[in-house]
Amino acid sequence: MKSRTIAVTYAGVLALTTIVGSWIVGSWVCRAEAEEQAPALRVYAAGSTRGILPAIAEDYARTTGQRFEFTFGPAGLLLNRIRKEGGADIFVSANMEHPQQLFLEGAGTRPVIFARNRLCVTGRAELGLTQATLLDKLLEPSVKIGTSTPGADPGGDYAWQFFDRAETVRAGAKDTLIRNAHQLVGGPASPKLPAGETAVHYFFTRHEADAFIGYCSSHTKISAGPEKPSDLPLTRVEVPPPLAMPINYGLTILTTIKDAGHREAAYRFALYLVSPDAQRRLPEYGFLPGGGL
């Protein structure tokens, strides 16, 4: 196989080459046969990356022969698992705080931004959600708001940040939103969804939620229709300023990798994740490019 240098964005190169110090980027060579013999890279990642990360890895594997083992879940729970059990080579979180904790503990490299996301609210069509009416509708006492679980999942933390921001534009809004909120996913005791089911469809049909606060990204490629065909007309609205907040996905490489070849493979894939080839795939799944500090 001919040598292939992985092109990366300037910011991504700067960040990750700072991590590896004297590691020479230009010397990377794809070694398909060697990768096939090497252990699979173990990637622990936020559940919201369940579509995009395997898609990027598939592109990468076609050229390098690298194999992967993915573990998806709430990033806070994955962080605790990594701390207790190890088992990961690369960690992609839906926030920067969790990878930063591993870095401060000496267990991970300094995190870089892999991707960016936005907060959206999906509601029953009859609610009439628009950016202009969003807060009014969510403050109605009868509306049940589904969220992820704060602490265990950054998605829940972002929902509570949304409540905090609502308080700055309307006094008393935070307490009302918290009363209306139901932590339905992302926690250690959250119910397991049936195979092929989405949280929105499952909890809406069970009348446990009327609106759901989550990411604007999708596990599958964005299309005009809903992710799961149903008889529930839905409306999805992006949270407008000043209620919105930045959502950055942090990427760190675990420093516990013992084998030099395996460690090199982890760094090569991490750099590929912030390369133009990988970053251009992000919008297909509703993400915005990251690729830097």
Side-chain angles (χ1 to χ4, degrees):
M1 174 184 294
K2 294 183 178 179
S3 298
R4 179 176 181 269
T5 302
I6 300 174
V8 295
T9 61
Y10 176 78
V13 171
L14 177 61
L16 288 175
T17 52
T18 298
I19 292 169
V20 300
S22 62
W23 202 30
I24 301 174
V25 178
S27 67
W28 297 338
V29 177
C30 293
R31 296 185 294 268
E33 293 182 1
E35 297 290 4
E36 290 172 357
Q37 300 298 322
L41 284 180
R42 301 166 299 176
V43 180
Y44 281 33
S48 50
T49 66
R50 191 183 301 272
I52 182 60
L53 274 180
I56 292 175
E58 184 177 355
D59 293 342
Y60 185 75
R62 288 195 200 98
T63 304
T64 65
Q66 178 65 57
R67 296 181 297 113
F68 295 90
E69 292 179 0
F70 286 100
T71 299
F72 295 103
L77 299 184
L78 291 180
L79 171 65
N80 292 336
R81 181 172 171 181
I82 290 170
R83 281 169 157 171
K84 292 178 181 178
E85 306 172 9
D89 300 318
I90 293 173
F91 178 42
V92 178
S93 176
N95 63 10
M96 295 296 289
E97 288 76 12
H98 294 337
Q100 181 70 10
Q101 287 181 42
L102 291 175
F103 168 67
L104 293 176
E105 294 166 6
T109 59
R110 185 183 298 276
V112 296
I113 299 174
F114 159 62
R116 305 175 198 270
N117 213 332
R118 296 147 296 144
L119 202 64
C120 274
V121 178
T122 302
R124 301 180 186 275
E126 60 264 29
L127 288 180
L129 291 182
T130 67
Q131 287 193 327
T133 65
L134 179 62
L135 186 54
D136 288 331
K137 296 296 183 179
L138 294 182
L139 287 171
E140 291 180 5
S142 62
V143 172
K144 300 176 183 177
I145 305 172
T147 75
S148 193
T149 305
D153 183 13
D157 298 326
Y158 292 128
W160 256 249
Q161 289 178 38
F162 168 76
F163 299 161
D164 288 336
R165 289 175 182 248
E167 182 69 21
T168 67
V169 300
R170 189 170 305 180
K174 180 178 179 179
D175 288 341
T176 300
L177 292 170
I178 290 176
R179 283 196 299 271
N180 289 354
H182 300 265
Q183 299 173 29
L184 300 176
V185 297
S190 297
K192 186 176 181 180
L193 298 180
E197 185 66 273
T198 65
V200 167
H201 183 268
Y202 181 73
F203 291 112
F204 280 22
T205 55
R206 291 165 61 91
H207 302 285
E208 295 183 41
D210 304 298
F212 211 100
I213 300 176
Y215 301 120
C216 295
S217 62
S218 172
H219 290 176
T220 57
K221 292 186 179 181
I222 299 298
S223 63
E227 290 183 276
K228 180 181 178 65
S230 75
D231 56 0
L232 293 176
L234 304 175
T235 302
R236 187 168 71 164
V237 175
E238 182 175 348
V239 172
L243 301 176
M245 72 287 299
I247 298 177
N248 298 325
Y249 280 55
L251 162 67
T252 186
I253 304 163
L254 279 298
T255 56
T256 52
I257 306 173
K258 303 299 183 183
D259 179 75
H262 195 62
R263 183 167 58 249
E264 182 181 332
Y267 277 110
R268 285 204 306 274
F269 182 61
L271 277 166
Y272 181 77
L273 287 174
V274 295
S275 74
D277 283 348
Q279 292 285 303
R280 68 171 56 100
R281 298 295 308 270
L282 292 170
E284 298 175 22
Y285 292 82
F287 291 91
L288 301 175
L293 297 173

